[in-house]
Amino acid sequence: MIIAPSLLASDFARFGHEAARAHRSGAEWLHLDIMDGHFVPNISFGPQVVKAVRPHFERTLDVHLMCSKPEILLEPFAAAGSDSITIHVELGAQVTPLLWKIRSLGKKVGLAVNPPTRVSELKPYLSQVDLILIMTVNPGFGGQPFIEECVPKIQQVAAWRQQMGLQFRIEVDGGINDTIAAECARAGADTFVAGTSLFKHRNLGNAVKRMRRIATEASRDPKLL
Ligand code: DX5
Ligand code: ZN
């Protein structure tokens, strides 16, 4: 199980400090939500922030592009130190060339799906990705409530992964706390983005360890399709 604190929920006045805190917590990934004010109604931060936090978090920087024109952003984010770059399936015809471009930059390839989008939209791409990101809130803001209707999408993607003998990770993002992480783990998720529920704790290490333990235990009692 991988826990990925989301920098979106951290103190924006102290990104380096917060990234170092996430590193000390033992989190395997640090999730960076990139918002362009067009694909989503919010603006967060850009490649310069990835570059700034890079020396403070030595494991995986998991960059999630909620952007309408990611083709102009892939190189700057790759050069800034991203390890994994995720784009959205809602981009339609752009998806295949974008996935190839991320791969050509030597980065892990992720594909995300928003709550209103049918999970079948992902199926053509499953063999081309290292990560599927199931959004469990409508993208744009942290602190939103988990959308329960997204759980069957996790189960469906997990079933396809097994049937097709693929190895991609299944990440969930939005409204994730310990209880919900357990529910998502039972459905087949193995990577958990959490902002509000983790960064609110003074002891981030304990919060990360607790979520990882709860998700791992729950995954032993799967509720798959
Ligand atoms: C939404 C963001 C959030 C964030 C996590 O666009 O992607 O899901 O990462 O936020 P919390 O954990 O506060 O819901
Ligand atoms: Zn995200």
Side-chain angles (χ1 to χ4, degrees), residues 6 8 31-35 62-66 88 133 135 171 173-174 193:
S6 172
L8 191 73
H31 188 81
L32 293 105
D33 285 307
I34 310 303
M35 301 178 182
D62 171 35
V63 170
H64 173 195
L65 297 181
M66 287 163 272
H88 270 259
L133 167 49
M135 289 303 294
E171 185 176 48
D173 178 356
V193 174

Side-chain angles (χ1 to χ4, degrees), residues 7-27:
L7 197 70
L8 191 73
S10 73
D11 179 351
F12 270 44
R14 301 196 304 164
F15 280 135
H17 171 84
E18 295 284 68
R21 195 154 77 95
H23 184 78
R24 288 195 305 275
S25 79

Side-chain angles (χ1 to χ4, degrees), residues 12 98 161:
F12 270 44
L98 287 168
R161 178 173 63 180

